[in-house]
Amino acid sequence: MKIALVGYGKMGKIIDEIATKRGHEVVARLKETPTAETLNSPDVVIEFSLPEVAFDNIKACLENKIPVICGTTGWLERKTEIENLAVENETAFLYGSNFSLGVNLFFALNEKLADLMKSVDEYSCQLEEIHHIHKLDAPSGTAISIAEGIFKSNPKYEAWKLEETQEKNLGIFAIREDEVPGTHSVYYKSEVDEIEIKHTAFNRNGFALGAVVAAEWIKDKKGNFTMKDVLGL
């Protein structure tokens, strides 16, 4: 495949290396909003940039009828507009708050546990996420996805807040620490015990590999997708 990388920071460089090792050709490495000329006719775009520019980056690609894999978080208030653009331009869009295989299995486990806990009133749920100090958005997109999985399976909670859990507001502690790639925990605590599930990333390679696998999967497809579609979860 011919892959264009939009956003060429640490993640972009790792994706470049992994895509090349898997036999793909990286035809563009962009740090600015793409155009038809600078994209250089790719089969797919992988977009890992910054929250303030992600919408314009994705919009430009979709308007050129190029499918987009997006891993940028912090811009999701406009996600519906992008999904509509993908349909209008008869191309494809896949957003992932986290492309790691392990994290996506963790998402499925989180939903299952939330379903088991919905009728057990003795326990209160709390989320925690830890990321490197350079991460701009808080909570992380992954933490928001975890919270949404809990809302889907457990009607006790309706919204999240950056604080301790209170009634129907699910609490998220967002911690920024050194160079931590990403650690996410879900706690269910009662007066007598605590249940915890946790995912710890050791480096960014799992995220990058998942993005390339998603790019391979989305070629020739039309519509809006998630990593659940890619992994068959």
Side-chain angles (χ1 to χ4, degrees):
M1 294 174 63
K2 293 183 177 181
I3 297 175
L5 302 178
V6 176
Y8 201 67
K10 290 179 181 178
M11 274 297 296
K13 290 170 184 174
I14 298 171
I15 291 169
D16 191 345
E17 182 180 342
I18 289 175
T20 301
K21 283 182 179 178
R22 290 173 72 89
H24 304 299
E25 180 186 0
V26 177
V27 296
R29 299 168 178 87
L30 305 177
K31 292 186 176 181
E32 68 281 349
T33 300
T35 65
E37 292 74 26
T38 59
L39 284 168
N40 200 19
S41 302
D43 296 308
V44 63
V45 166
I46 301 179
E47 201 275 353
F48 275 79
S49 62
L50 298 170
E52 60 267 26
V53 297
F55 178 86
D56 289 338
N57 287 345
I58 301 162
K59 180 174 181 285
C61 298
L62 295 178
E63 288 177 342
N64 281 286
K65 301 187 181 299
I66 303 168
V68 177
I69 305 297
C70 173
T72 306
T73 60
W75 64 277
L76 295 186
E77 68 280 355
R78 303 191 73 180
K79 182 166 172 274
T80 300
E81 292 178 61
I82 288 296
E83 290 173 339
N84 290 338
L85 271 175
V87 174
E88 289 169 13
N89 287 282
E90 298 184 338
T91 187
F93 175 69
L94 188 153
Y95 167 76
S97 60
N98 194 309
F99 284 91
S100 158
L101 172 60
V103 164
N104 282 278
L105 292 169
F106 183 87
F107 287 158
L109 178 61
N110 171 60
E111 289 185 17
K112 178 62 176 176
L113 181 56
D115 184 61
L116 291 172
M117 300 301 290
K118 67 184 178 185
S119 57
V120 187
D121 294 332
E122 289 82 2
Y123 290 85
S124 176
C125 186
Q126 180 74 40
L127 308 188
E128 179 184 276
E129 58 101 341
I130 308 172
H131 277 89
H132 51 84
I133 56 175
H134 314 290
K135 187 164 181 61
L136 298 179
D137 53 322
S140 67
T142 302
I144 293 171
S145 292
I146 293 168
E148 289 172 345
I150 292 170
F151 303 153
K152 175 181 172 183
S153 301
N154 189 338
K156 289 181 186 176
Y157 303 105
E158 295 178 349
W160 59 264
K161 284 196 173 183
L162 280 169
E163 58 183 30
E164 192 170 344
T165 295
Q166 295 178 345
E167 299 179 349
K168 289 186 175 294
N169 291 321
L170 179 63
I172 303 176
F173 295 136
I175 300 166
R176 297 293 173 262
E177 184 177 289
D178 300 328
E179 296 298 322
V180 176
T183 300
H184 296 86
S185 303
V186 180
Y187 304 91
Y188 287 90
K189 189 173 183 178
S190 75
E191 291 184 359
V192 296
D193 61 7
E194 183 175 80
I195 300 166
E196 175 188 358
I197 57 172
K198 179 178 182 180
H199 179 273
T200 302
F202 299 141
N203 53 53
R204 292 181 172 89
N205 291 17
F207 312 142
L209 175 60
V212 175
V213 169
E216 294 167 348
W217 179 89
I218 209 170
K219 188 181 179 185
D220 299 325
K221 292 182 173 65
K222 295 179 181 180
N224 293 290
F225 304 98
T226 70
M227 282 299 286
K228 278 190 174 182
D229 300 303
V230 177
L231 300 174
L233 295 175

